[in-house]
């Protein structure tokens, strides 16, 4: 490991994201793709930003569908699976797990459970964004 305190802080923060299961091995795959290609030094951060942009479109759609009575099941399922796929593609493990909980509740007809699970989705999404923003800020400082 590097002796530079900033690099140590980055490594520690990154490890913490895995230890808390906020991220999974797909994030490592993204980093591997970035290392294999010298074309875009910000590949991982850019990919994560695209994920957040897409999720910022999907979350209000899910919330709107959860407010309808009855819920449009096929539309809800389609949007939830799209969001779940986005989570999986970047390694957003905790968010993906909470999306699975919303899907399960919807399939079981537990609308109140789905609403509660969706609140957890939003909480985990906010937590992920805050932690990755801090992580990428440190990475930028290390590159400077």
């Amino acid at each position: 490991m590097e002796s530079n305190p900033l690099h140590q802080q980055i490594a520690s923060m990154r490890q913490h994201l895995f230890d808390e299961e906020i991220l999974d091995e797909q994030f490592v795959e993204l980093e591997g793709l970035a290392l294999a290609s010298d074309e875009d030094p910000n590949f991982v951060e850019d990919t994560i930003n695209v994920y957040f942009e897409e999720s910022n479109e999907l979350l209000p759609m899910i919330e709107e569908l959860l407010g309808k009575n009855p819920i449009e099941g096929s539309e809800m399922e389609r949007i939830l699976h799209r969001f779940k796929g986005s989570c999986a593609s970047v390694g957003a493990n905790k968010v993906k797990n909470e999306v699975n909980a919303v899907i399960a509740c919807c399939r079981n007809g537990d609308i109140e459970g789905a609403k509660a699970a969706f609140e957890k989705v939003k909480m985990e999404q906010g937590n992920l964004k805050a932690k990755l923003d801090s992580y990428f800020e440190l990475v930028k400082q290390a590159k400077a």
Side-chain angles (χ1 to χ4, degrees):
M1 178 179 266
E2 304 234 2
S3 61
N4 180 324
L6 185 55
H7 288 130
Q8 289 175 353
Q9 186 178 1
I10 291 168
S12 175
M13 182 181 282
R14 182 182 178 279
Q15 187 59 48
H16 183 71
L17 292 168
F18 289 100
D19 291 346
E20 288 192 359
E21 298 180 352
I22 293 169
L23 295 176
D24 65 21
E25 66 280 347
Q26 186 58 38
F27 188 81
V28 176
E29 293 291 325
L30 280 177
E31 291 176 322
L33 288 172
L35 291 174
S37 170
D38 292 335
E39 292 179 26
D40 185 1
N42 299 318
F43 175 78
V44 176
E45 183 177 10
D46 292 345
T47 302
I48 295 293
N49 285 335
V50 169
Y51 160 78
F52 282 117
E53 287 170 14
E54 181 171 280
S55 65
N56 285 339
E57 294 173 11
L58 295 176
L59 289 172
M61 294 167 70
I62 296 167
E63 192 153 31
E64 180 181 333
L65 287 170
L66 282 172
K68 291 186 176 182
N69 192 4
I71 288 180
E72 299 171 19
S74 61
E75 180 70 4
M76 177 66 85
E77 187 102 1
R78 183 185 67 75
I79 293 170
L80 286 169
H81 278 282
R82 183 174 156 198
F83 187 36
K84 178 182 166 183
S86 293
C87 294
S89 71
V90 298
N93 188 54
K94 277 195 174 180
V95 178
K96 178 186 71 185
N97 291 341
E98 294 302 336
V99 171
N100 280 333
V102 176
I103 292 170
C105 288
C106 286
R107 285 184 180 159
N108 292 327
D110 180 5
I111 304 311
E112 291 309 310
K115 289 177 180 178
F118 183 66
E119 290 304 312
K120 290 181 182 177
V121 167
K122 294 189 300 186
M123 182 189 72
E124 290 298 343
Q125 179 79 351
N127 186 40
L128 175 68
K129 177 136 180 54
K131 290 188 180 212
L132 286 178
D133 284 350
S134 297
Y135 174 76
F136 287 123
E137 186 59 39
L138 287 178
V139 169
K140 283 180 187 174
Q141 289 175 25
K143 289 179 181 179

